[in-house]
């Protein structure tokens, strides 16, 4: 079970304050040189400790980044007697794409619970990131569909105006207008179907970089990011 055998701020050098992430995890966000006490070492990947059949969790549909749980062991350097110093185990999540790591501030007196906690942290964070990535992709697709449909509609309207100015060409331009209008209408329906099915509720509060977004706000930000940052021209 989790203990406070060695406070994490004593076991690890320069560890920043605890941070609550939008996925719901509360952890320290660290980089490798933060984890450098004289007698702390990487104990094992979570699957080596628990026998799990997977090594990590993908954070995006393209599987570019994987989060993996690790167990760190830290041994107290100082004891008054000759008994071996106790070892505390910490759950750590490592990305294969960035230098940032997530460190559970709780200490464990057994490596198996620490390994399970590390894997659970990796899974929770990855699932939330995948959800954001999927929402972002839906928003981008809807924006592209709608922009293309509106472009075709403008083309159709230009043909209609030309036909009104030159009625003699109406027999030729009429079918072109009808075909383009149907094509634009179908594209707009696809875009609005995506929006109705996938767009999350909008934020109730404006974005504030000084605060940590809730999971729902993070999902809403992912949609807005996909919509606003998708080139349409």
């Amino acid at each position: 079970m989790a203990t406070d055998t060695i406070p994490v701020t004593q076991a690890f050098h320069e560890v920043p304050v605890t941070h609550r992430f939008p996925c719901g995890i509360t952890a320290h966000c660290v980089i490798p040189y933060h984890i450098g006490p004289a007698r702390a070492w990487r104990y094992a990947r979570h699957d080596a400790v628990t026998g799990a059949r997977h090594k990590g969790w993908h954070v995006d549909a393209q599987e570019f980044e994987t989060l993996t749980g690790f167990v760190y062991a830290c041994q107290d350097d100082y004891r008054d007697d000759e008994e071996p110093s106790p070892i505390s185990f910490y759950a750590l999540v490592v990305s294969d794409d960035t230098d940032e790591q997530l460190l559970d501030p709780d200490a464990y007196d057994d490596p198996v619970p620490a390994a399970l906690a590390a894997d659970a942290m990796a899974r929770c964070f990855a699932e939330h990131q995948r959800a954001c990535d999927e929402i972002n992709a839906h928003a981008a697709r809807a924006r592209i569909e709608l922009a293309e449909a509106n472009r075709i509609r403008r083309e159709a309207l230009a043909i209609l105006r030309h036909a009104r100015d030159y009625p003699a060409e109406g027999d030729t331009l009429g079918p072109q207008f009808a075909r383009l209008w149907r094509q634009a209408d179908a594209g707009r329906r696809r875009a609005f179907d995506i929006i109705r099915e996938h767009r999350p509720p909008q934020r109730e509060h404006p974005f504030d970089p000084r605060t940590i977004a809730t999971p729902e706000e993070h999902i809403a930000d992912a949609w807005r990011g996909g919509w606003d940052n998708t080139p349409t021209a």
Side-chain angles (χ1 to χ4, degrees), residues 125-203:
F125 197 96
E127 285 179 349
H128 180 72
Q129 289 300 108
R130 285 199 307 272
C132 289
D133 187 63
E134 184 178 1
I135 284 292
N136 186 283
H138 285 312
R141 181 184 164 205
R143 180 69 183 273
I144 291 172
E145 289 274 12
L146 187 59
E148 177 63 11
N150 288 338
R151 184 194 66 78
I152 296 172
R153 176 176 278 195
R154 289 192 297 270
E155 185 178 342
L157 291 173
I159 291 174
L160 181 61
R161 287 192 295 269
H162 185 81
R164 287 174 177 173
D165 293 337
Y166 301 94
E169 300 181 21
D171 291 343
T172 302
L173 298 177
Q176 295 182 26
F177 166 79
R179 175 178 57 81
L180 290 174
W181 192 260
R182 287 194 299 268
Q183 185 178 346
D185 191 52
R188 287 173 63 85
R189 284 199 304 270
R190 288 193 299 270
F192 288 124
D193 284 345
I194 295 171
I195 293 171
R196 281 191 295 268
E197 183 176 357
H198 296 290
R199 183 173 64 181
Q202 295 183 355
R203 274 178 168 269

